[in-house]
Amino acid sequence: MISIIDCGMGNLGSVKNMLKHIGVQSEIISTSLEVEQAEKIILPGVGNWDNGVKKLNESGLLDALNKRVLIDKVPVLGICLGMQLLLESSEEGSLPGIGWISGKVKRFEFSPSQQAQNKLRIPHMGWNIVNAKKSTELTGFDGDETRFYFVHSYHAVVDNPQDVLMTCHYGYEFACAIHHENIWGVQFHPEKSHKFGMALMKKFAEL
């Protein structure tokens, strides 16, 4: 059973529907008691950094999440803003993140010539190829080039290179997935990424 955190900052239905499609049981949860009983946790999120931090703090779930993730070592997967919130800070806002992984979130920065030559736009939107930087339970996809669907203007910069799980190229190489022990995060949207998203979610469910 996968527990999807509801604190008002993500499209929970899409995540739940994909899990149902691949035969994985899930539930949407919003109380500390439910977090304390969770076996695997997904933290989805879309929108602004400070708003996401506020919603997470106001939910009253943070203490329970810290215990389950940091002490009990329950697997957790952050998606999009949910991944960014795993880090310590963001250029998008002033409030501190959860800080489970050491690093910060930075806005894409392109020179005028880069933008003109490569037609780069912010946000980075659409399908793009990702490359695994280390071998884990969530990497290793069979067949074609691995592609995921992105919609974001900011990206993760982790302090420890060992915490980079996957990278993507958009103007320059950036970390599009991060990992430290039982903590996972993806900038892309697996719930919108068809067979690759289904494969990744299945791998997470099997942890």
Side-chain angles (χ1 to χ4, degrees):
M1 174 72 75
I2 293 180
S3 298
I4 306 167
I5 301 294
D6 178 10
C7 50
M9 61 174 188
N11 187 355
L12 313 179
S14 294
V15 176
K16 186 172 176 59
N17 286 340
M18 169 166 273
L19 291 170
K20 181 179 179 181
H21 183 72
I22 60 175
V24 175
Q25 288 189 317
S26 67
E27 58 180 354
I28 295 173
I29 66 172
S30 59
T31 69
S32 294
L33 179 60
E34 290 171 316
V35 172
E36 290 166 6
Q37 298 171 342
E39 300 168 355
K40 295 183 183 71
I41 295 169
I42 290 180
L43 178 64
V46 293
N48 173 271
W49 169 274
D50 276 355
N51 184 57
V53 173
K54 287 177 182 176
K55 286 186 177 296
L56 188 56
N57 288 335
E58 291 167 359
S59 73
L61 301 179
L62 202 47
D63 286 346
L65 284 169
N66 279 328
K67 177 182 180 298
R68 290 300 277 157
V69 173
L70 299 180
I71 298 174
D72 300 336
K73 299 297 182 181
V74 167
V76 61
L77 173 66
I79 297 175
C80 196
L81 178 62
M83 181 211 77
Q84 295 179 3
L85 293 174
L86 303 179
L87 302 175
E88 296 167 309
S89 64
S90 173
E91 291 183 348
E92 189 180 20
S94 59
L95 297 176
I98 303 173
W100 289 340
I101 294 180
S102 180
K104 59 188 175 183
V105 181
K106 298 189 68 174
R107 182 174 171 83
F108 279 110
E109 289 186 26
F110 306 125
S111 68
S113 61
Q114 261 188 311
Q115 289 179 307
Q117 182 177 356
N118 299 308
K119 298 181 179 179
L120 299 171
R121 298 289 182 267
I122 299 173
H124 169 215
M125 182 181 296
W127 291 85
N128 209 337
I129 298 168
V130 308
N131 297 290
K133 293 313 237 185
K134 60 180 179 179
S135 177
T136 71
E137 296 91 337
L138 260 62
T139 53
F141 297 89
D142 297 326
D144 305 330
E145 287 180 321
T146 307
R147 297 173 178 266
F148 288 95
Y149 187 82
F150 291 83
V151 183
H152 65 119
S153 301
Y154 295 79
H155 62 86
V157 178
V158 294
D159 292 339
N160 185 347
Q162 291 300 312
D163 291 339
V164 177
L165 178 61
M166 303 177 193
T167 61
C168 181
H169 194 275
Y170 189 67
Y172 49 82
E173 188 179 52
F174 68 93
C176 65
I178 56 179
H179 166 244
H180 182 79
E181 297 181 351
N182 57 306
I183 302 164
W184 314 77
V186 295
Q187 180 61 64
F188 48 79
H189 288 273
E191 76 279 11
K192 297 179 181 179
S193 298
H194 305 316
K195 67 177 183 179
F196 298 113
M198 287 187 277
L200 185 140
M201 296 290 251
K202 194 172 192 311
K203 288 173 181 288
F204 180 72
E206 293 171 350
L207 287 176

